[in-house]
Amino acid sequence: MSTALEQAGHRLAMAERIAHIGSWTVDLCNPQQVTGSNEFAVIFGLVPLAPVSLDEMAGRFAPESRDRIGWLLQQCYRHGIGFDEEMQIDT
């Protein structure tokens, strides 16, 4: 029997797949490691659920988005807040 948390995770994965939107996190204790959802991996052409370096992930954004992602990450580090942004990536 699945727990409510597992069910919520399955619903999130399904919603990401349908909307073609990925999510990712950075561990502030190990900020060079990014962990993303399956759809994040699909969008970025990565192995699903495999950790990726922050530099590798940031390098996949379109050049005009890289300054913005850097600024947002600095705000996250300084203030401990997340963000929700849409940015172009290089495909």
Side-chain angles (χ1 to χ4, degrees):
M1 180 188 266
S2 294
T3 67
L5 185 58
E6 289 171 328
Q7 290 174 356
H10 291 300
R11 285 192 301 273
L12 175 60
M14 183 172 55
E16 285 189 349
R17 208 171 35 255
I18 291 168
H20 198 50
I21 296 172
S23 58
W24 53 277
T25 59
V26 176
D27 180 348
L28 294 180
C29 294
N30 184 9
Q32 285 304 310
Q33 183 173 321
V34 175
T35 304
S37 65
N38 279 337
E39 195 62 21
F40 165 85
V42 168
I43 292 166
F44 279 85
L46 302 169
V47 175
L49 302 178
V52 63
S53 76
L54 183 57
D55 291 337
E56 181 182 354
M57 192 266 315
R60 292 177 183 252
F61 284 97
E64 59 271 15
S65 296
R66 291 180 191 154
D67 287 342
R68 176 80 177 149
I69 192 73
W71 183 84
L72 288 166
L73 287 169
Q74 286 298 323
Q75 295 305 303
C76 182
Y77 296 148
R78 288 184 185 142
H79 306 290
I81 56 171
F83 56 90
D84 180 10
E85 292 281 322
E86 290 184 30
M87 290 180 234
Q88 293 183 328
I89 59 170
D90 284 338
T91 57

